[in-house]
Amino acid sequence: MSRILFIVFAGLLVAGLPADIIFAQSGSAPFDVEQASRAYIDTLQGEELEKSNNYFEGGYWLILWGALIGILVDFVILQSRFSARFRDWAERVTKRHWLQPALYALPYVIAGFLLTLPWTIYTGFFREQRYGLMSQSFGDWFGEQMIGLVISLLIFPLLVMAIFAVIRRAPKTWWLWGTGVVSIFLFIGMMLGPVFISPLFNDYHEMADGPMRDRIVAMAAEYDIPAENIYVFDQSKQHKRISANVSGIGPTIRISLNDNLLERTDPDEVAAVMGHELGHYVLGHTWRTIFILALIIGLGLFLVARLAPRLIERHGAKWGVRTISDPAAIPILSLILTAYFFAATPALNSLVRITESDADQFGLDTAREPDGFAKVAMRLSEYRKIEPGPVEEMLFFDHPSGATRVRMAMQWKADNIENPVIQNPGKLEQE
């Protein structure tokens, strides 16, 4: 019997019938989750694997150096007494105490932008270009940095004006009220960002009618997700990365796909990605994220409320900072928060990673495209290390690693697909 099967198998191969179909028909190859996972994971080899690992592992050091540079910039602004000068200028412009922090924020934001500009250029442009992840010219990239600066000059003054208003009114419990203020700003940003900020960087147009849009609409309708607005945006002008999102709150909710997702992937991959993104909406991740961030920010502001007065008492005269309600204290608040968020990086990553994993599971259940999901996980290896160690993944990954996602997809396939077949994905396009 085995000789007959061998002859039939050889004949079908000669005829050009794919081996995975043969296995499916003969039932002779049991589905092994690890073997099916390795079929995908092992497609990344050689120089591409090394390049992916080097890029992502280099990011570990960027976290440290970015925090140190942020602390150093705030220290320079304090030590040089520029902070006091910014405050003095604000007091000369207006006698209204409530407006002075907003005026102070203008030169403070510009100074921070200029002092960190060499670092920003290296990490945001040259490093991305070196790894083949940048599609823009330097001029276009820098133009977007200027747009970001203008946005900061509009939003940050309003935020610090509100924070210092609660510091003056509730000097002992300001950190608690300040947490509420920041949460309100987060909510407004999530609601208005998709409508007013995102279009400043990309052009959005309605997704054309067709089978792919119909499938997205059907998936959304299954969970009563508003799908009147499905947009495609031209992110290929910036980079090659694939992405999509369900953004906004209430009347601003919209589904968006970047053009890379539609042009670089197959329909099963698009469905898998959209299932994941729809999961964020159905599972209430926007509200969960606001709540969790509020708790984390609240703890950070509590530490600021305890540490900043001590720093001001010891060094305030040298820096020209009077009290914590003095706008000149903003760099002190900033450097404490920078150190706090650096220390909290593993916790922040884990919280986000758990949310993303929940969306992954939802996406698999909704799209029912485990192989499409696995292929997308492999494409993301362009800029994410594919197979880290467990501790490494816990500390540095804000999404499940590619290997984790592939194994999840193959386990789902084993549990939910009748007579599953191990696929040979071959070499995925990387250009």
Side-chain angles (χ1 to χ4, degrees):
M1 176 64 70
S2 61
R3 183 178 179 84
I4 295 173
L5 286 175
F6 175 78
I7 294 172
V8 172
F9 179 79
L12 289 172
L13 284 180
V14 171
L17 193 61
D20 57 347
I21 296 179
I22 299 165
F23 286 135
Q25 292 175 342
S26 67
S28 62
F31 188 83
D32 180 88
V33 171
E34 184 59 25
Q35 183 181 352
S37 300
R38 297 294 343 164
Y40 280 98
I41 297 169
D42 291 343
T43 59
L44 188 65
Q45 297 286 343
E47 291 184 4
E48 289 182 350
L49 176 61
E50 183 179 5
K51 180 180 176 182
S52 172
N53 290 345
N54 289 342
Y55 175 79
F56 197 82
E57 290 169 0
Y60 304 163
W61 290 103
L62 295 186
I63 297 172
L64 172 62
W65 287 112
L68 291 176
I69 288 172
I71 292 171
L72 178 61
V73 165
D74 281 318
F75 180 75
V76 167
I77 292 174
L78 284 169
Q79 192 72 8
S80 64
R81 294 182 67 92
F82 273 115
S83 187
R85 295 174 188 174
F86 297 159
R87 185 265 326 280
D88 294 342
W89 170 77
E91 290 178 345
R92 288 196 300 270
V93 172
T94 180
K95 300 301 181 184
R96 295 180 175 87
H97 293 296
W98 61 271
L99 186 56
Q100 289 168 358
L103 290 176
Y104 169 96
L106 298 176
Y108 173 74
V109 168
I110 294 172
F113 175 83
L114 293 175
L115 289 171
T116 58
L117 186 58
W119 175 252
T120 303
I121 291 173
Y122 167 70
T123 58
F125 182 78
F126 286 113
R127 186 171 185 267
E128 296 294 299
Q129 189 180 60
R130 189 177 80 192
Y131 282 94
L133 298 174
M134 173 63 64
S135 300
Q136 292 177 298
S137 67
F138 180 80
D140 291 338
W141 175 85
F142 190 74
E144 291 189 354
Q145 300 306 302
M146 296 305 296
I147 293 174
L149 174 61
V150 172
I151 293 172
S152 297
L153 289 171
L154 293 174
I155 296 177
F156 188 70
L158 296 176
L159 176 61
V160 298
M161 184 171 65
I163 293 291
F164 275 81
V166 299
I167 290 177
R168 291 193 304 272
R169 291 173 179 267
K172 293 184 178 181
T173 59
W174 70 264
W175 62 272
L176 185 60
W177 298 102
T179 301
V181 168
V182 175
S183 299
I184 292 172
F185 271 79
L186 284 173
F187 173 82
I188 294 173
M190 289 183 176
M191 182 173 68
L192 300 182
V195 178
F196 296 106
I197 295 179
S198 296
L200 296 176
F201 299 92
N202 296 97
D203 293 328
Y204 286 71
H205 62 270
E206 279 284 347
M207 185 178 185
D209 292 335
M212 195 69 254
R213 182 184 177 110
D214 292 342
R215 185 168 185 185
I216 295 172
V217 170
M219 291 166 62
E222 185 177 353
Y223 297 97
D224 296 323
I225 301 174
E228 293 82 9
N229 300 312
I230 303 179
Y231 294 100
V232 177
F233 58 103
D234 59 339
Q235 204 160 48
S236 60
K237 73 177 186 179
Q238 291 141 341
H239 54 70
K240 302 189 303 180
R241 302 178 185 187
I242 59 177
S243 70
N245 60 77
V246 179
S247 57
I249 298 173
T252 66
I253 290 174
R254 56 188 58 200
I255 299 170
S256 303
L257 306 79
N258 75 358
D259 52 353
N260 293 325
L261 178 61
L262 294 177
E263 294 171 6
R264 297 187 60 201
T265 67
D266 297 324
D268 61 335
E269 297 174 73
V270 177
V273 170
M274 294 314 304
H276 168 96
E277 298 301 334
L278 295 175
H280 283 308
Y281 177 88
V282 174
L283 299 174
H285 287 168
T286 297
W287 300 106
R288 184 195 301 182
T289 298
I290 291 176
F291 177 74
I292 292 174
L293 286 178
L295 293 178
I296 294 171
I297 291 169
L299 177 58
L301 293 180
F302 173 78
L303 293 175
V304 168
R306 294 296 178 269
L307 296 177
R310 298 179 184 179
L311 288 173
I312 293 171
E313 183 180 355
R314 178 173 296 185
H315 303 288
K318 177 174 61 177
W319 294 336
V321 179
R322 301 161 187 160
T323 65
I324 195 172
S325 62
D326 180 359
I330 287 177
I332 300 176
L333 277 61
S334 176
L335 65 85
I336 294 173
L337 286 175
T338 299
Y340 165 72
F341 281 114
F342 170 74
T345 296
L348 286 166
N349 285 345
S350 294
L351 290 170
V352 176
R353 190 174 61 253
I354 291 169
T355 297
E356 294 296 330
S357 183
D358 290 344
D360 287 347
Q361 186 62 56
F362 182 94
L364 286 166
D365 292 335
T366 300
R368 301 185 65 82
E369 295 285 3
D371 289 288
F373 187 88
K375 286 189 286 185
V376 168
M378 294 306 302
R379 292 186 194 279
L380 297 179
S381 67
E382 288 178 342
Y383 56 92
R384 290 181 187 160
K385 186 174 182 178
I386 191 68
E387 198 168 15
V391 175
E392 183 181 11
E393 185 165 358
M394 178 191 70
L395 292 176
F396 297 110
F397 280 66
D398 61 0
H399 285 64
S401 69
T404 297
R405 285 175 145 173
V406 169
R407 290 189 176 98
M408 175 187 282
M410 294 303 100
Q411 185 62 59
W412 187 94
K413 186 176 181 179
D415 295 339
N416 294 275
I417 301 297
E418 186 177 356
N419 299 323
V421 175
I422 296 177
Q423 297 289 332
N424 179 9
K427 179 86 166 62
L428 292 177
E429 166 268 336
Q430 294 288 334
E431 295 300 326

